[in-house]
Amino acid sequence: MNITQRLTASICALLNCLASASYAADEKPTNAPEKITFDDHVKPILREHCVFCHEAGEKEGGLAMDTYAALFEGGASGQVLNEDGDLESSRFWKLISHSEEPIMPPGSDRIPDDQLAIVRRWLEMGALKDSGSKAKKKKANALSFVVSSGGRPEGGGAMPQSIPQATRYATERPAATTAIAASPWAPLIAVAGHRQIVLYHGDTAELLGVLPFPEGIAQSLRFSKDGSYLIAGGGEHSVLGKVVVYDVKTGERMATVGDELDTVFDADVNDRVSRVALGGPKKMLRIYEVGEEAPLFEIKKHTDWIYTVAFSPDGVLIASGDRSGGLCVWEAETGRLYLDLVGHKGGIHSVAWRDDSNVLASASADGVVKLWDMNSGKAIKSINIGGPALDVSFDHQGRLVTAGGDNKAKLWKADGGHLRDFPSMPEDVLEVEISHDGKRVIYGDWTGSVMLVSTEGKEPGVPLASNPPSNEARIKELEEKVAAANSEFQIAKQQQTAKQQAANAAADALKQHKLKTTTAQKAVADANASIKDAEKSLKDLDNGINAQASQSRDSIDRLIAARVLVLESPDAKQQKKLVEREQQLAQVMNQLVASRLSKSKQQAALVELQKKLGETQKQVTTLSAGLSTFEGAAQNAAAEVQAAAAAAKPVEVALNQLKAKLERLRKEAAEVQ
Amino acid sequence: MKKHHLRCIPATFLALSAMLLASTGKHAIAAEPAEAASISKSSSPPRRPEFAVYPPAVRLDGSSDFQSFIAVLRRDDDVTEDATERVNWKIANESIARLVDGKVHPLTDGKTSLVGSYLGTTVSVPVEVHDSAKSPKVSFTNDVMPVLTRASCNTGSCHGAARGKDGFNLSLFGYDPEGDHFRITREIGTRRINLAVPEESLLLRKAVGSVPHTGGKLFETGSDHYKTILAWLKDNVPLDRQTGENAVPTVDRVELYPPQAIIEGDGSQQRMIAVAHYSDGTTRDIEELATFSTNNSTVAAVDQSGLITAGTRGEAFVMARFDTHTVGSQVLTLPENLEYSAPSTEPEPSYVDELVMKKLNQLRIEPSPACSDEEFIRRATIDIAGLLPTEEEFHRFVHDPAEDKRERLVDELLSRKEFSEIWAMKFAQLLMIKSSNQVSYKSALLYANWITDQFAKNRPINEIVQELLTSSGGTFSSPATNFYEIERDVLKTSENVAQVFMGIRTQCAQCHNHPFDRWTMEDYYGFASFFTQVRRKNGEDYREQIIYDTRGGEVNNPVKKKPEPAKYLGGDTVDNKGDHRRVKMAQWLTSGDNPYFATSLANRVWAHFMGVGIVEPVDDIRVSNPASNPELFETLGTKLVEYEFDFRRLVRDICTSDAYARSTQSNPSNAHDSRNYSRALVRRIPAESLLDCICSVTQSPDKFRGMPLGSRAVQIADGKTTNYFLTSFGRSPRATVCECEATTDPSLSQALHLLNGASVNDKIKRGRTLKQWVEQEKMSTPDVIDRIYVRALSRYPTDEERQLLVDQINPEANVVSELEDIYWAVLNSREFVFNH
């Protein structure tokens, strides 16, 4: 953080403070309850319950409560009340309200609720001494935090691309969880195992890679600020300590730093990945220029094992904490002490920086996570986490996750308010991290089990093993999976085939049906044509009959004429002519009769034809109506075929993926061997 | 004076005493008493040997249990030999147990016996096998912790140090198994153990030295100890239940065998067997787990497998520590082929002499002869009355022909007030009676007067102590209450009570279980809880405090983090509810049944007269600092109880014994002995008595603050009152209750003070005794010299001495002044300053 940034931050803080002050000032006159004061209200209560032991003479625990001044002076273990009467951080309140041990008064019931309420109101009103006192201003809220998205790399954080996934070292059970890291910008989680670091997908819990750590056990894992590098500090206890920087995409060891005589408990790199700070049981804080063999700074200040080291996100400061409660902040550039933070009564197990580098969180075995303001160098919040605090971590929104000796991982608001407890573990929770999107926490305990749990806490957690099974076992498992997927695929394929057959049948049926319809339609047309022909021939017949009838009438006429003539002149000629004429008539008449006979025949045929046409037409109608059914069936069947094909596709893809995975694992396992 | 005749002791006596010894131990004895007694030394070998097999019973639980055993042969002359290798061993029923490498291993459940036979003698010990099919799990408390202790991980110089070592802390000698379990497994859960790869746990790797370890390599990879810890790691480091149902059994007691060994010859060896007995009735061979040590490795060295190797002649105490228990066996080393025959004793020796002689016979030490009457009267008078015998007393005694004159002298001395004054002073030292910012001079005076008065009245000591401990009221009106005013700290008070009245130092157990004794932190805080009810308030006089009791309240045990109920030291817990826990405690403390009170008191008395306690230092009685003569130690305590705590009678027993009346001259056999009363020890006269002696012989009294001229230094009430002489001669500064506060160590300032200081020369001049003798009584020079000798040294000068001194006198010079020089020289002699 540069100076302007720091300045802005402090101005912001100042403004905040002014704002809250004026707010408080505004509120006062409108709502003026009776002043609760020490002298008038609280002293009698203390006299009744506390002062017998806590008086100036007896002074149990070094604390006297008989006067206002003495109460604020505190006891042997420090202040019991803040001047501004902040309830949350008041030991006095916690003990008398029995929310913390040792309960006070010891071995007896709590102070009656009505009296307790008075004390509470007294504290809330600013712990006034007497009616003339004025409440002290509440401390400025340095916990106001503006969420920033700074630091997010283009296209999100790096994910493993070509890191081998073969197990490097298989153990039956895991060792206690030593380190977990979550990429700040990608769904990527690293878990330390025995001589290896296991990478998991932060959403799917899929194993993404196994980084070898032949130096021993990584005691610390941290991602670089942009998530591109993974920094592993560790080694072999009492033998060797190293820090290794891995490329997250390829798993390549970019640098190896340090040569400790005992393991490294924690290590971190700065924002530019140019410097590494490390510490361990040798009590020396060493800062290296990456690539250099000799340390840049060797800082001898810690009096006990250094448990934790962390660069501020802006790379300006380094915080380090030790086993006997020493907590220091150093200037990263010069190696000079910037702050010596005094307040913890137990070893510092972990430190974490908020994104803006203004607030440092420290987790201590005394059960408290303290938040320190880097501008003032003061503790601005003490969160009692309910057990020895073993790890702490911020997310991008400034929320905190803590791991505790009460077997719990917990989520806290940015201002230190309690948000949620995650499902308990069987033993001390040693490590905790929160995912890049703040949606999941990852925590591991003494038994070595690591859980990936949603911060909403709705779904059950997923275990992440720090000891993935042996390659043989994993290959076997994959083979089983491939087999299962294969059989699934086969079933899908069979189903697809069956559907296809059904579809083909349906199509055939449709085709048949269509053919039938066409035939029927043609029959109708034929019938119509026949009828037409028949009608025409009938007409022709009629015409012929008509003509024959007129001809016959002519023939009759001529016969009559002939007869007449015969009568008039019965000569042979005439006779002959008459016979001729008679023959002619008979002929015509015969023809007419034949025609008429033909017509009636023809008429009967027409009726027959028309009847047939009706039938055929009916058939056509029925067939036309049935067509849609066949068409639907065919369509359905076709759709089913497509669906089956679609269903088979992912199975096939999965199968292929599994096959590829198996192939990869086989290959990589062979390489590892 | 009695003469001791040296003569051969009949073999029957020896055999009998062997029997006596044997039957006192809890072990199996082969031969029947009658048979053994009938064997005389003269009978021709081979005779049937007599040997004992340890342990007296074998119990095996679980398939992996085993028990080693030894046979100890006791010769006619009481010398013991390790006969394990010589004896033929077999198991009566070989389907139940079998022998492998000198150990009994289980086969099937049942009872049988281990039979040893050697030259016709057969001894059998019962063998019981239980749960032979089960292989018990490794217990942290009972398996892992002993390994850590045996490997000395938790000693004070290693991880047992208060702040641990190299970042790893264990409880000293394992007093806090739960805490140690936490520190190993959970304190830094990722460092000391590795459950994924148990073999790579730092705990193991450090112990076998495969990684750098300040403490070095402690055991081998693959050793039994390694396997125990590895099995525990593989079992996922369980912690046993400490309380409630299925709680892990605790160690009830530890036995070390043989209870006594008398080894002959440099380099001879004797194997020790240690067996732990658990609360569930099981036993365990702890040869590989106990820590063996010796208090005198030149006499008897012991290695970590319990093998003793004899060294030079002498006496040693070999100890085995396991869990919170320390047990020991006496080992006497004798040179080979020592010619010794026990001196005869009186037909009816006093119990003191009987027990002293018994020990001397075992050690083959011949006591010095009895001292002369002159020596006796000086010794007894100084010891009993803190004065020198007057000339008159001297003559009367020396010329008394009566047989019982020594007894009468002792009685007479005991009846004098000087006797009670000495003991009042001794107690005033122990009770640290001394004015200070907190305790006014008046209080101190009243307190001292009270204690003097108690002794003057010859009140039984138990009653005095009871009154002292239960006292309440004003420090003026009830001076005994000053006990709680001089030391106001509860823990310190309880420590002082234990040290002064029981000779037990519990201080160690404030922070951890006592490493060399049985005291645990429960014992310490439980005992301290007796004194938490004591409260103080101001009296009317601003110098006076009023001591009273409140109800309730106990001391917090820092390990358990809860109040520790009041518990008698080595006894039961008391009902808390009652008031005045002090009263209960005082009753318990001073009762005749209390195993510590009477014995420790008797031992203090004994040490005063004999120069060295049976347990020395007298206020550090513990298992690892054993009595040189345990029987005598116990008997003296018993006698004190029998005498209803009238310790004058005890003093009489002591001062009339032969042991008290021995010469200081040594003989070759007792020259190196200082703990077994084979000769009288030469002792510097304590500071107060020495000053009183000088004052009385020179007839030139001193003046002490707040006391009339002529008062003796012994009578000084306030510990703050002193003078240069007393301070330089090691008067107790009364700053602590330790007996060691009053010293008799020589120093240059003492020598120079006697030579040049005001105490001797000025007093001689001021006393004018010589002037009177020479000028008024007109005594001759040799007579004066005789008188000087009698007065100062309680003897006449030898002729040679007398002649030498007479020759020194210059007849020309002032005779008185010359004689004064002689007087000065005599008072500067070592003979004067020492009680011999």
Side-chain angles (χ1 to χ4, degrees), chain A residues 167-217:
Chain A
T167 307
R168 299 282 167 161
Y169 198 106
T171 60
E172 203 169 301
R173 57 155 293 173
T177 312
T178 55
I180 299 173
S183 165
W185 304 113
L188 176 61
I189 293 153
V191 178
H194 194 83
R195 297 184 188 276
Q196 63 197 354
I197 297 155
V198 193
L199 301 175
Y200 287 99
H201 195 286
D203 296 331
T204 64
E206 185 193 354
L207 193 150
L208 296 180
V210 178
L211 296 169
F213 191 75
E215 285 82 2
I217 299 165

Side-chain angles (χ1 to χ4, degrees), chain B residues 223-264:
Chain B
S223 64
D224 284 349
H225 291 170
Y226 180 89
K227 284 184 196 152
T228 302
I229 294 185
L230 186 60
W232 174 69
L233 287 166
K234 283 187 169 164
D235 195 23
N236 294 338
V237 296
L239 172 65
D240 331 82
R241 257 169 208 274
Q242 302 291 314
T243 50
E245 245 179 275
N246 298 328
V248 66
T250 53
V251 180
D252 275 349
R253 65 195 156 91
V254 171
E255 305 272 11
L256 184 64
Y257 301 109
Q260 189 198 36
I262 303 173
I263 316 179
E264 194 179 71

Side-chain angles (χ1 to χ4, degrees), chain A residues 482-499:
Chain A
V482 166
N486 198 25
S487 64
E488 198 187 342
F489 175 62
Q490 292 307 333
I491 290 166
K493 227 172 166 182
Q494 275 171 16
Q495 273 177 351
Q496 198 186 346
T497 315
K499 294 280 180 214

Side-chain angles (χ1 to χ4, degrees), chain A residues 173 236 262 323 427 446, chain B residues 167 185-186 191 205 236:
Chain A
R173 57 155 293 173
E236 210 173 319
D262 203 325
R323 193 180 153 184
E427 287 274 356
W446 180 87
Chain B
T185 63
R186 307 299 203 282
R191 184 165 171 89
R205 298 190 67 187
N236 294 338

Side-chain angles (χ1 to χ4, degrees), chain A residues 431-446:
Chain A
E431 297 285 328
V432 66
E433 285 295 326
I434 188 158
S435 67
H436 68 114
D437 51 6
K439 286 184 180 156
R440 288 187 169 80
V441 285
I442 310 94
Y443 53 96
D445 77 343
W446 180 87

Side-chain angles (χ1 to χ4, degrees), chain B residues 501-743:
Chain B
F501 302 117
M502 294 188 274
I504 296 169
R505 297 193 190 175
T506 57
Q507 285 88 331
C508 295
Q510 182 178 356
C511 305
H512 51 79
N513 290 348
H514 198 300
F516 308 114
D517 207 345
R518 53 177 291 192
W519 309 120
T520 62
M521 290 176 78
E522 279 91 358
D523 290 320
Y524 180 89
Y525 288 98
F527 194 58
S529 289
F530 279 112
F531 301 96
T532 44
Q533 296 176 326
V534 178
R535 291 283 186 284
R536 301 159 185 88
K537 59 187 176 191
N538 289 328
E540 253 176 59
D541 189 319
Y542 72 94
R543 295 169 300 176
E544 187 177 20
Q545 288 278 307
I546 294 171
I547 308 291
Y548 67 101
D549 276 0
T550 56
R551 297 177 69 104
E554 279 130 14
V555 185
N556 243 16
N557 181 331
V559 168
K560 293 193 202 159
K561 297 187 178 69
K562 20 178 217 219
E564 191 68 50
K567 178 172 175 286
Y568 300 126
L569 210 50
D572 297 330
T573 309
V574 288
D575 178 18
N576 285 342
K577 298 286 179 285
D579 307 317
H580 302 300
R581 263 180 242 146
R582 285 192 289 150
V583 175
K584 289 188 178 173
M585 191 276 302
Q587 280 163 357
W588 166 82
L589 177 73
T590 58
S591 95
D593 300 333
N594 186 303
Y596 313 110
F597 180 67
T599 48
S600 79
L601 216 63
N603 187 44
R604 278 184 195 274
V605 174
W606 176 268
H608 176 80
F609 291 99
M610 305 302 286
V612 61
I614 304 170
V615 174
E616 182 70 27
V618 294
D619 52 5
D620 192 8
I621 299 170
R622 60 187 144 86
V623 179
S624 47
N625 181 27
S628 62
N629 191 333
E631 270 181 274
L632 180 60
F633 181 74
E634 290 301 328
T635 312
L636 288 175
T638 318
K639 285 285 174 187
L640 188 58
V641 176
E642 198 179 291
Y643 296 154
E644 292 174 335
F645 292 96
D646 174 3
F647 75 99
R648 276 171 211 245
R649 294 180 64 187
L650 192 71
V651 173
R652 191 179 184 281
D653 287 349
I654 295 167
C655 292
T656 55
S657 70
D658 290 350
Y660 180 71
R662 291 201 217 290
S663 161
T664 55
Q665 296 299 312
S666 61
N667 61 39
S669 72
N670 71 9
H672 295 289
D673 172 56
S674 60
R675 293 292 308 274
N676 291 295
Y677 317 107
S678 59
R679 60 187 164 93
L681 297 179
V682 178
R683 292 162 280 147
R684 232 273 330 275
I685 301 171
E688 291 92 341
S689 296
L690 184 58
L691 186 57
D692 289 343
C693 289
I694 293 172
C695 290
S696 71
V697 293
T698 57
Q699 289 187 349
S700 162
D702 258 328
K703 168 82 177 86
F704 303 105
R705 182 174 76 134
M707 300 174 79
L709 187 68
S711 300
R712 290 177 306 117
V714 168
Q715 295 167 323
I716 297 172
D718 179 9
K720 230 178 167 184
T721 306
T722 184
N723 64 20
Y724 182 77
F725 182 93
L726 292 175
T727 308
S728 55
F729 277 79
R731 173 176 198 258
S732 166
R734 301 189 186 177
T736 71
V737 296
C738 183
E739 181 83 14
C740 59
E741 288 260 288
T743 67

